[in-house]
Amino acid sequence: MKTTVLRIFTVLLSLTLMASVFACTKGAQIETTPEPSAVPIESATSEPVVEATEQPTAEPTEEPKPELPAEPVRVGALAGPTGVGLSYLMDQTDRYSVELFTAPDQLSPKIIKGEVDIAAVPINLASVLYQKTNGAVSVIAVNTLGVLYFLENGDTIHSVNDLAGKTIYATGQGSTPEYVLAEILRQNDLVDSVQVEYIADNTDLIAKLIAGEAEVALLPEPHVSVACTKGETVRVALSANNLWQEHNEAALVQGVYIVRKAYLEEHADAVNQFLADAAASAERVKTDENAAEKVVEYGIIPAAPIAKKAIPNCNIVLETGESMKKLVSAMLDTLYQANPASVGGTLPDEAFYYVP
């Protein structure tokens, strides 16, 4: 009997303990670590998350300004087409001091003595000065192409062959016009059938043409426009530029800019700035409707009607670098073949050309 009672007590005690444990664990929350979801390592639609950071704002940088000399650049030019191209540069008196001359032989001593830094000169004179100064100058740009025209007081010359038997009066002896005329006559087999007389002054030649004392004249602009305006029967018969290009691949170059090498070595920035300003001036002269008044203001051409008529025929350009070198070397070679003395006896070497 006691054994039975003991067994029943043991069973009841076990049930009570189990119920107590169940009650304690029923309300407890079991902490579990969630399984990571299956996400592909690389996804075409997913972008890496980059924490945004504020980037410092870059300060704008200015291009270094050229170091220009304190004193204005001394520029020498000839009244006429080369001066026309500088008309709008002459306004910049803080940067340039421009002096005009009426003849190349007035300007040459200024260059040789170092009294001019940059000069506009006939192309053959540039080469001559290079030889005379032992290479102390460099050509930096072409500023003028063909500006020479054959004029007649009448109406008998319509082709180059019509010059046969005539006497041609011209200016520019010892300079580019003389050698251009000689080459045109040679290329057209007219050397023996044409007589050439040189007059020192363009104004005197215009008067001679208008008076009928000269039947044919070779003149440069703007003197061509002066003659045609003053003489009722004076007209342009032929363009020397067109005749030149019929027999020569390169254009007829007449005017260039040169610089003293000593100045170039010390003030290269100023020279490059001059080229930029001269290019802008040349472009304005060709496009600005008020250019004629500007040219007259500086005394380059005497009257606005003349200037307005002459500017389109002045063939003003600004060629630099390799293009300039090609034009100048071809023209000098042609002049040298015609007369070595015209370019100073020998052709300039590579050091003559400034190609930045």
Side-chain angles (χ1 to χ4, degrees):
M1 181 66 177
K2 290 181 179 180
T3 304
T4 303
V5 173
L6 182 58
R7 289 177 178 175
I8 293 172
F9 178 78
T10 303
V11 171
L12 289 175
L13 181 60
S14 299
L15 290 173
T16 301
L17 291 171
M18 290 177 64
S20 177
V21 171
F22 178 76
C24 291
T25 59
K26 184 178 179 181
Q29 293 181 349
I30 302 173
E31 293 184 3
T32 59
T33 303
E35 292 286 337
S37 58
V39 180
I41 294 175
E42 293 184 3
S43 172
T45 59
S46 63
E47 293 290 339
V49 178
V50 179
E51 186 177 349
T53 58
E54 186 176 349
Q55 298 293 329
T57 303
E59 293 292 332
T61 58
E62 294 183 0
E63 293 186 2
K65 295 181 179 180
E67 295 183 6
L68 302 180
E71 296 297 323
V73 182
R74 299 170 300 175
V75 181
L78 298 174
T82 57
V84 169
L86 292 172
S87 299
Y88 287 92
L89 183 143
M90 293 182 186
D91 288 337
Q92 304 178 47
T93 54
D94 60 327
R95 187 174 291 175
Y96 304 106
S97 174
V98 182
E99 186 176 2
L100 292 176
F101 300 86
T102 58
D105 58 3
Q106 296 174 338
L107 180 54
S108 294
K110 294 275 188 178
I111 301 168
I112 294 172
K113 295 177 182 178
E115 297 174 359
V116 167
D117 303 314
I118 295 175
V121 298
I123 184 172
N124 74 296
L125 179 58
S127 180
V128 170
L129 287 171
Y130 183 73
Q131 312 298 348
K132 280 187 175 181
T133 61
N134 296 317
V137 299
S138 288
V139 61
I140 58 176
V142 171
N143 58 45
T144 315
L145 299 179
V147 298
L148 294 169
Y149 297 86
F150 291 92
L151 280 68
E152 75 163 325
N153 192 344
D155 190 18
T156 62
I157 300 172
H158 301 282
S159 73
V160 68
N161 293 326
D162 293 332
L163 294 174
K166 307 286 187 181
T167 297
I168 299 174
Y169 291 84
T171 58
Q173 188 174 21
S175 188
T176 306
E178 177 185 357
Y179 306 119
V180 169
L181 175 57
E183 188 66 4
I184 288 174
L185 296 178
R186 185 191 68 79
Q187 291 173 338
N188 290 279
D189 299 322
L190 292 171
V191 174
D192 296 330
S193 59
V194 170
Q195 184 175 349
V196 179
E197 297 286 344
Y198 282 98
I199 305 295
D201 186 74
N202 288 305
T203 302
D204 292 342
L205 179 50
I206 291 172
K208 196 174 184 69
L209 182 65
I210 293 173
E213 299 173 7
E215 186 179 1
V216 183
L218 180 68
L219 282 166
E221 283 286 15
H223 302 288
V224 171
S225 295
V226 172
C228 291
T229 300
K230 290 185 175 181
E232 294 182 0
T233 56
V234 174
R235 71 180 189 92
V236 174
L238 302 169
S239 165
N241 194 44
N242 293 342
L243 294 175
W244 181 270
Q245 292 186 322
E246 288 178 5
H247 295 272
N248 300 278
E249 293 183 6
L252 173 55
V253 178
Q254 290 196 242
V256 298
Y257 289 122
I258 60 173
V259 63
R260 290 189 300 109
K261 280 188 178 179
Y263 187 83
L264 176 60
E265 291 170 0
E266 188 174 354
H267 301 294
D269 285 339
V271 174
N272 292 330
Q273 185 64 52
F274 167 82
L275 292 174
D277 292 338
S281 178
E283 186 62 26
R284 287 192 67 183
V285 166
K286 293 186 287 186
T287 58
D288 193 338
E289 61 181 10
N290 298 316
E293 286 73 16
K294 178 66 68 176
V295 169
V296 172
E297 176 186 345
Y298 287 109
I300 302 167
I301 296 178
I306 300 298
K308 186 169 290 188
K309 189 173 183 178
I311 288 172
N313 298 325
C314 285
N315 284 320
I316 298 167
V317 298
L318 204 290
E319 295 286 346
T320 60
E322 291 294 340
S323 174
M324 172 274 296
K325 181 180 177 181
K326 182 177 179 180
L327 286 169
V328 172
S329 61
M331 184 69 190
L332 289 178
D333 184 66
T334 300
L335 293 175
Y336 176 79
Q337 298 301 325
N339 182 359
S342 67
V343 297
T346 185
L347 289 172
D349 56 23
E350 289 292 315
F352 177 58
Y353 301 95
Y354 173 61
V355 180

